[in-house]
Amino acid sequence: LVVLLAVAVAAEEKVKFHGYHSFVVDEVSSDEVSIINSLCDTDQRMNQIVLMNDFLAPGMEAFLLVAPEHVQYVENTFAKFNIPYNVVGTDYQEQIDLVDEANTLARETWLADKARGVVRAPDYYMTNAQVNAWIADLAASNAHVSSSNIGSSEEGRDIWEITIDGTTVSNPKHVYINGGIHAREWISPSTMIFIAHNVALTAGGDFQRMRENYIWHIPPVINPDGYEYTHTNNRNWRKNRRNNAGSACFGVDQNRNWAKFFGGSGSSGDPCSDTYRGPSALSEPENEAVAAQIRAIGGANIVLYMDVHSYSQYWLVPWGGQSAKPPMYPDLKTCGDEAAVAIQAAEGRSFLVGTPPDILYVAAGGALDWGHADDAGMGNVKYSYSPELRPATAGQGGFVIPPENIYPSGREIFAGCVANIDCAERLP
Ligand code: 0X9
Ligand code: ZN
């Protein structure tokens, strides 16, 4: 209790991870899943032995962030159970600080370029305020770009959506891509911003073709409260900042809160869990704001919907909430595979294509499933995906990777989108 109180009192200060070790266990067995789960904190306020995978299933790479005073204990436990492991980092705060320093430099260079008239996509991780100012600027300087405030977060922040309509065809279809549903996955909003910038402005090639043929809708940060919190309080925050009634713990996992399979396995009813689903389907205003936009466009008019995460390098296909596949799975998989080929050709990285249960775990209430489902009031988009962006592993940086990744991530994910869209148009 004393520890919990101390943690609660300190909660307003920025959480630091000095000396935290990054432990990785490759391809965990089901026995190892149980051992690791009992080793890790069950309460998000502890921050002592943190399971960075929100959920662990056999076959996955486990990533544990361990406070210095518990490193010996974790090593002993792994030795006792004969679990092979690697320590891929010994100071998580240093990893965070190095990326922050690189980010400051990248921002200064971008601002200096801008001052001398060079307009290019931001290659630094922006704060909420910077994202919103950038969106306003893009819309103000380009007649075919508009910005709309699609709703308010739990704490009252605006949720901005970029719309790019440079179409030259009649009855154009739409593309809808949302970023930043999980706060700590910083490469997601930046990749969305890269794509928005280039679809809006780049002459020639696929950017121009995509601009002229489709109306693009991109809200890059659909969890602005959580995103802000990763900048001000805890780089490791995942959920939104819902003040949960009757609990001392904050936050709903917006990717367990959607209506399809709501409440099913892989989601938690405990507000202190990182996969807390919330009190009811679409209880979170941030999700409802996105849902309303997709309903208004109409799923049949949307050629591609994506809810974009990091990390692991996957191109996830519905269903996430159950092992059985949707009837349209063969087409979804075919086009996902074509996306992966295009991604590989763009920057040389492999992305694995499949359903969450097949390659990760069952997780009910995800945006991916709501996007695809044709139940009343749901997305009804045939081609609905949840990419997990770079890197592939915790050892390659996990959620905290240098801003030099933003352009290549943008190029490869845009290449994946183009291939996915072209495939969708080709199939009956
Ligand atoms: O667990 C998630 O929400 C996603 N992984 S993450 O590490 N970015 O949190 C996977 C989402 C897969 N979608 C569904 N299972 N519906
Ligand atoms: Zn995520």
Side-chain angles (χ1 to χ4, degrees), residues 52-55 60 181-182 184-185 238 253-256 261 266 275 307-312 314 316-321 355-357 360-370 386-388 399:
M52 296 290 280
N53 318 73
D54 49 88
F55 188 84
M60 291 175 65
I181 197 170
H182 284 146
R184 63 189 171 191
E185 300 167 6
R238 165 181 168 94
D253 181 350
Q254 284 176 233
N255 207 33
R256 298 294 182 278
F261 304 125
T275 52
D307 167 46
V308 179
H309 294 255
S310 74
Y311 61 90
S312 292
Y314 297 145
L316 297 175
V317 177
W319 301 117
T355 67
L360 269 173
Y361 42 72
V362 178
L368 158 87
D369 288 352
W370 184 93
S386 269
E388 296 275 354
F399 302 114

Side-chain angles (χ1 to χ4, degrees), residues 103-157:
N103 204 52
T104 302
L105 289 177
R107 176 162 184 264
E108 282 165 3
T109 307
W110 185 85
L111 287 171
D113 282 354
K114 189 183 175 198
R116 51 186 190 86
V118 178
V119 180
R120 59 184 179 89
D123 55 352
Y124 64 97
Y125 300 113
M126 295 170 142
T127 62
N128 268 314
Q130 290 164 354
V131 171
N132 294 346
W134 178 83
I135 292 175
D137 191 30
L138 187 74
S141 348
N142 298 283
H144 65 292
V145 180
S146 56
S147 62
S148 26
N149 178 359
I150 63 170
S152 252
S153 69
E154 164 74 2
E155 292 182 335
R157 290 188 178 81

Side-chain angles (χ1 to χ4, degrees), residues 14-29:
K14 195 161 186 172
V15 178
K16 296 286 186 180
F17 297 93
H18 295 295
Y20 276 61
H21 284 41
S22 299
F23 282 76
V24 167
V25 182
D26 288 326
E27 296 203 27
V28 290
S29 65

Side-chain angles (χ1 to χ4, degrees), residues 11-303:
E12 292 313 299
E13 288 161 27
K14 195 161 186 172
V15 178
K16 296 286 186 180
F17 297 93
H18 295 295
Y20 276 61
H21 284 41
S22 299
F23 282 76
V24 167
V25 182
D26 288 326
E27 296 203 27
V28 290
S29 65
S30 55
D31 284 353
E32 290 167 352
V33 168
S34 325
I35 294 162
I36 291 170
N37 278 332
S38 49
L39 193 59
C40 292
D41 303 337
T42 49
D43 188 303
Q44 64 183 27
R45 293 165 293 179
M46 299 293 288
N47 269 319
Q48 297 296 300
I49 305 178
V50 182
L51 183 60
M52 296 290 280
N53 318 73
D54 49 88
F55 188 84
L56 196 57
M60 291 175 65
E61 174 197 82
F63 175 15
L64 286 72
L65 198 57
V66 181
E69 51 271 41
H70 302 296
V71 164
Q72 190 65 57
Y73 168 64
V74 171
E75 282 174 346
N76 292 346
T77 306
F78 283 164
K80 180 170 132 194
F81 291 102
N82 262 313
I83 300 177
Y85 64 92
N86 289 304
V87 176
V88 301
T90 55
D91 191 346
Y92 196 60
Q93 190 60 48
E94 186 180 42
Q95 187 184 337
I96 292 170
D97 291 345
L98 286 172
V99 169
D100 283 350
E101 283 160 29
N103 204 52
T104 302
L105 289 177
R107 176 162 184 264
E108 282 165 3
T109 307
W110 185 85
L111 287 171
D113 282 354
K114 189 183 175 198
R116 51 186 190 86
V118 178
V119 180
R120 59 184 179 89
D123 55 352
Y124 64 97
Y125 300 113
M126 295 170 142
T127 62
N128 268 314
Q130 290 164 354
V131 171
N132 294 346
W134 178 83
I135 292 175
D137 191 30
L138 187 74
S141 348
N142 298 283
H144 65 292
V145 180
S146 56
S147 62
S148 26
N149 178 359
I150 63 170
S152 252
S153 69
E154 164 74 2
E155 292 182 335
R157 290 188 178 81
D158 295 339
I159 300 167
W160 287 97
E161 180 170 306
I162 306 160
T163 305
I164 305 163
D165 185 355
T167 53
T168 56
V169 295
S170 49
N171 299 318
K173 291 179 187 157
H174 300 250
V175 177
Y176 199 102
I177 314 179
N178 54 248
I181 197 170
H182 284 146
R184 63 189 171 191
E185 300 167 6
W186 283 12
I187 193 67
S188 164
S190 345
T191 300
M192 301 302 91
I193 286 166
F194 174 94
I195 291 175
H197 172 96
N198 286 292
V199 169
L201 299 177
T202 296
D206 279 336
F207 286 121
Q208 181 167 349
R209 180 165 70 88
M210 289 292 120
R211 173 169 68 249
E212 291 179 347
N213 284 281
Y214 302 99
I215 302 172
W216 290 69
H217 307 262
I218 304 180
V221 184
I222 69 163
N223 174 11
D225 297 347
Y227 191 63
E228 186 75 10
Y229 197 75
T230 61
H231 285 89
T232 55
N233 290 69
N234 184 348
R235 178 65 185 82
N236 216 14
W237 192 258
R238 165 181 168 94
K239 301 186 285 182
N240 71 4
R241 291 292 301 166
R242 161 76 66 186
N243 188 351
N244 293 308
S247 170
C249 290
F250 283 76
V252 167
D253 181 350
Q254 284 176 233
N255 207 33
R256 298 294 182 278
N257 181 249
W258 297 76
K260 185 68 176 177
F261 304 125
F262 178 82
S265 36
S267 72
S268 172
D270 173 5
C272 295
S273 161
D274 243 357
T275 52
Y276 176 50
R277 67 177 82 97
S280 59
L282 287 179
S283 56
E284 301 314 289
E286 301 88 349
N287 286 351
E288 181 52 41
V290 171
Q293 295 301 311
I294 294 172
R295 290 188 202 109
I297 300 165
N301 302 316
I302 300 177
V303 70

